[in-house]
Amino acid sequence: MTTHPALVEEIRSASRTMVRELGFMRATLAATDYSPSAVHALLEIEAHLALTAAQLVQLLDLDKSSVSRMVAKLIKAGELVESADSDGRVKRLQLTKQGRRTVAAIHAYGRTQVQTALEHLNPSQQQAVAQGLAAYAHALNAHRTGEGKAPGNPVEISAGYRPGVVGRVTEMHAAFYARHSGFGQFFESKVASGIAEFVGRLDQPCNNLWVATMNDRIVGSIAIDGQDLGNNQAHLRWFILDDGCRGGGVGRQLLREAVEFCDRFGFEAIELATFKGLDAARRLYEAAGFELTHEHQGSQWGSVVTEQQFTRRRGGASHPVKL
């Protein structure tokens, strides 16, 4: 896969800024008297409860002599204690009581750094930072160690009503379509009233709602309304993702849940309404068997857009009309 050079340079520039702002250019780190590598060693030993010097070499990607000198200094400073196993061949490093206090102070310092920075971002940006940094960190590690793909998606998918879903689904729609299509108050009000009315009908077996959550925050949604179209047709509605989750497979998971629900229920067709230009969403729809069946220009949402209808028929392809 080819990565655009401008994106590479943007990430490199951001990485240099982070290194400076987090203090890694200084001789000591996290308000301690220790180097960045020593601070990382203490944190890894705390996380693993005990480590050998050889394991630290692998974890920190440092040479053996550097780790040996660093460990000797930390033992002399009273932060670590070294103990041998029963046959005396393996020596494990553990934190002393002083070391545990030092690590607690490092954690407090680090949390304050992160919390203070995150206060300058909105919740969606915070989620994007958390997800993006985790994926990038894993990718860097995978390149060095030869490991495989990134770990499983931290996003959870659940069905049914969830407190806050009406407001959050409305917020995601309003924010996205204000940027993409210039929609304003009228569109947001329509979304709010529509989703509020729909959740009151979730007790009907033909209706369902799925939300994606990350750290207990709703970051995506999709719904199947089995009542409003009639003729044994399902209406796919309120399919939206938070900016931080786009491109991570969450949309595909949500769409799969909705389509499989419709197939189990026995709907003859699924219809959805969307707008031209949402290419990533269109690729998902078409991969799931939807076809474009109608499009026209409209201004009912506050600006002129090309409205589109996609249809997925049970047991076979749709038959799109000529546009």
Side-chain angles (χ1 to χ4, degrees):
M1 181 176 65
T2 302
T3 304
H4 196 285
L7 181 62
V8 172
E9 293 309 312
E10 185 177 353
I11 292 173
R12 291 184 64 224
S13 176
S15 298
R16 292 193 298 272
T17 300
M18 289 176 62
V19 167
R20 292 194 299 269
E21 295 301 325
L22 291 173
F24 287 96
M25 299 289 287
R26 303 170 196 150
T28 61
L29 185 67
T32 69
D33 294 326
Y34 303 123
S35 66
S37 58
V39 168
H40 276 72
L42 293 172
L43 292 174
E44 291 294 346
I45 291 169
E46 185 228 14
H48 292 83
L49 301 181
L51 287 173
T52 65
Q55 289 172 322
L56 274 179
V57 168
Q58 294 298 317
L59 283 169
L60 302 181
D61 193 26
L62 295 173
D63 61 79
K64 187 177 179 179
S65 59
S66 296
V67 170
S68 295
R69 291 193 297 271
M70 176 181 63
V71 166
K73 290 179 181 178
L74 290 172
I75 291 173
K76 184 177 180 180
E79 307 286 2
L80 298 178
V81 62
E82 191 175 50
S83 58
D85 61 8
S86 56
D87 60 11
R89 291 184 299 177
V90 178
K91 294 182 178 180
R92 299 191 180 278
L93 299 163
Q94 293 178 292
L95 296 175
T96 63
K97 184 180 291 187
Q98 174 185 316
R100 290 193 292 273
R101 288 196 300 268
T102 299
V103 168
I106 291 170
H107 282 311
Y109 183 92
R111 290 188 187 103
T112 299
Q113 274 188 309
V114 174
Q115 288 170 353
T116 302
L118 290 179
E119 288 173 1
H120 295 275
L121 305 175
N122 63 43
S124 295
Q125 291 171 321
Q126 292 173 3
Q127 291 289 356
V129 168
Q131 189 175 16
L133 278 177
Y136 183 50
H138 181 87
L140 288 171
N141 181 263
H143 175 71
R144 178 174 66 87
T145 62
E147 291 180 4
K149 295 181 179 179
N153 201 317
V155 174
E156 297 181 358
I157 308 294
S158 58
Y161 172 78
R162 183 183 181 92
V165 71
V166 172
R168 183 67 179 124
V169 170
T170 301
E171 176 191 359
M172 288 189 291
H173 275 80
F176 177 79
Y177 286 101
R179 293 194 307 272
H180 185 272
S181 304
F183 295 167
Q185 175 270 324
F186 178 75
F187 175 78
E188 182 173 352
S189 297
K190 290 287 286 184
V191 173
S193 60
I195 187 71
E197 185 274 334
F198 173 73
V199 296
R201 296 189 278 113
L202 282 175
D203 59 333
Q204 300 298 309
C206 61
N207 301 327
N208 211 340
L209 167 71
W210 296 263
V211 294
T213 56
M214 180 189 291
N215 299 325
D216 274 339
R217 178 177 171 79
I218 296 173
V219 294
S221 68
I222 197 169
I224 291 295
D225 189 335
Q227 293 179 292
D228 65 335
L229 295 181
N231 299 319
N232 198 31
Q233 293 183 324
H235 190 184
L236 190 152
R237 311 177 73 180
W238 302 298
F239 184 27
I240 191 74
L241 293 177
D242 190 81
D243 288 344
C245 291
R246 299 184 190 280
V250 179
R252 189 175 296 107
Q253 288 179 266
L254 287 168
L255 187 58
R256 185 186 305 118
E257 292 283 351
V259 169
E260 289 178 353
F261 170 81
C262 291
D263 288 345
R264 290 193 304 270
F265 198 84
F267 287 111
E268 289 299 322
I270 312 169
E271 291 190 0
L272 65 89
T274 185
F275 305 104
K276 188 174 183 177
L278 304 179
D279 297 332
R282 177 170 182 166
R283 287 192 291 272
L284 287 179
Y285 299 144
E286 292 176 336
F290 286 84
E291 291 185 353
L292 178 64
T293 52
H294 184 69
E295 72 175 16
H296 68 278
Q297 279 198 334
S299 57
Q300 61 173 317
W301 306 109
S303 61
V304 177
V305 292
T306 300
E307 300 183 31
Q308 296 179 321
Q309 177 182 299
F310 283 80
T311 303
R312 178 186 185 271
R313 301 194 187 281
R314 187 182 181 198
S318 305
H319 301 286
V321 299
K322 292 184 179 180
L323 304 176

